[in-house]
Every structure is written in C-alpha cells, then in structure tokens.
Amino acid sequence: MGYLSNSLPLTMLVFAISAFAVWVAGARLAYLADALSDRLKLAKSVVGLVFLSTATSLPEIATTLTAAVQGVQALVLNNLFGGIALQTAILAMSDFWARGAITNYPRKANHALEATLLVLMLGLVIVILMVGEPFAIAGVGAGSVILAVVYAGALWLLRSYDEASDWVPVDLPDPDPLPFPAPTGLTKASTKLLTAQAVLACAVILIFGSLLVLSAESMAIQSGLGTSFIGVTLLAAATSLPELTTSITAVRMGAYTLAISNIFGSNLIMLVLVFPADILFHSGPVLRTTSPIVLTSLGFAIVVTAIFLTGLLIRRKPRLGNVGLDSVLVLISFVASMLVYYSLR
C-alpha cells in the first residue's frame, strides 16, 4: 500500500494528527446521530445499526477495497476479521463510562438478535473458509454472495423486529443515568444543518481515517513487523478508532442503545465487505485460501460476541465495580487474542 515517508517519527506524527481528527469527528458524529434520531423520530438502534456503524466503518471500507484492488488478500481478511474482536472490546471499554453494566440498559431484545445474527455470519465465514470456495462466477465466490444475501436478510429482520417488539426485558434500570450534556445548539439547529454537519464529520473520518491507515501500514513496514500481525492488530486498531470515540461519547450521554448497535452494526459490515472485496480481488475468490490468524480471529470474534449475548440475556449479572462481568471477560479475551496473534505471526 506504500510508505507515507521514509521517516518513522514523521509517520508517527501523521498517525497522531489523524487520530486526533478522527477522535473529534467521531465524538461530534455521536451527538449528531443522537440528535437526528430524535428529530426524525427514528429508533436509536436503527440509527446505530445503519447510519452510525456505516459512517464509522468508512476507514475499514476504504482500506479493504484498496487492498482488494491491489490483490493483498492477507490485509483484506486480517483487517476485516481482526477488527471484529477489537470493536467488541471497544464496547467493553465504553462500559467504564456507564453507570453499571452497559448490557443492562437496552429496553428491547434487538441487541441480542444483532449478536445472534453476527454469530451466524461468523460461523458461515468459517464454513466457507474450510470448504475453500469451490464455486465461483467471474472470480467471485459463492460464499461471499451468500454473506451479502444473509446480511440483507439480517437488516430486514432487525428492522421488522424493532417494530414488532415481541418481548422486552423486565426490571430495567433508569434509561438515562447521569447523561453527559450534549453540545449546546443541537436542539435548536435545523435538520438540514445537522445533516450537513454529519456529512462533514463523515468526510473527516474518511479522509483522516485513510491517513491513519496509511501511516499504520508505513509504521508496520518501517518497524519490520509482519503484515498479518499488523493487519489484525495495529491496522485494525487504526480503522476502529471512529467506533471507539463514538461509542464512548454515546455512553457518556446515556445513549446505550446507540453505542451497542454501532458496534454490532460495524461488525456486521465487516463481514458483508467480503462481497465487494471479492468483486475487486482479481486472483480468484478472496475466501478460497486462509491462514491460522484469520481462522483464529474469527474464533475470538465468536467468543466475545457470545459473551455479550449472554450479558444481554442475563439482566442481573456480577459486576466488578460499575463494570459488568461480561465486559471484563470480553477485555480479557481480547488481550488473549493479541497474545495468540503474536505467537502466530
């Protein structure tokens, strides 16, 4: 993908500046998404699942499609699948800003369904990788097409379920505990102005997120670390920074549904991105071959998602201070995944 420069300190400076820009834009985007959901009378779970998750996934989209065009299969798969466990760990980290376990607050079962569908798609990816994509049309594997169809079906099911409200949890905590004050002026701003600001924030995330990715790749090359290890760790961390800032901001202002749907929605997007990447990848189906790191990252993605799914179903769970035990277990699993990735590099 190329160097930004031949100087490691200069590359690190570009990385730091880009990270700051993405952090500020992501925080602002969380406020704007919350304001727009209220203004347009949209469910926050839908806004988080569709709009916010897509906006914060722009760096992943740009990185994945660029790597696919250049034929760097390892970077495509490690960036996508390695980012899922990391983004789930981001949700666990945001729990430190919540008043009690974050998975206690959702007032519908939407998030449990999101996690279940995510596990389903992760399992499908593993099956496709193990089978090896025996069927392909014009170089596009049947497996990636199946993932795209399942993703579309998942969005339809989640939208329908949000309107149906088949069952809801009981014994819920206060939905708005100590909300962090939003920037002044959002309630008075016009819908057109809020939308324009959201578009601008997305542009900043895309531009500086792409610079963040390029600088991360340059640091990987300059430091001599392996491509696979960097793809599943540093590169995934760089592209997941928007999810970090938006999730923490959403939790601080009490928008827990927005934060959870943002992460699960982003993880679902990571899987459906396999389809456009497969179209742009000209060396055969992108899921035809794999590596131990790819399969391991998918395994850890299932583990951390299942932990949060359990936390969403068990309303009264042990806590360590104000943090739910499920978030602690997710963070422990993520640290363990880093150690395993390093050993497999």
Side-chain angles (χ1 to χ4, degrees), residues 44-65:
K44 286 184 172 54
S45 60
V46 174
V47 173
L49 183 69
V50 179
F51 166 68
L52 195 58
S53 62
T54 302
T56 55
S57 297
L58 288 174
E60 284 99 335
I61 295 172
T63 303
T64 299
L65 299 186

Side-chain angles (χ1 to χ4, degrees), residues 9 11 23 97 124-125 160 173 201 213 221 225 255 262 279 288 292 303 305:
T11 304
W23 184 274
W97 281 267
L124 281 175
V125 174
S160 303
V213 170
I221 297 172
L225 294 173
N262 174 35
I279 294 176
R288 177 160 287 176
V303 169
T305 305

Side-chain angles (χ1 to χ4, degrees), residues 328-345:
V328 174
L329 292 176
V330 166
L331 290 174
I332 292 174
S333 300
F334 175 68
V335 172
S337 72
M338 293 297 100
L339 296 175
V340 174
Y341 297 151
Y342 185 78
S343 67
L344 294 174
R345 73 191 190 285

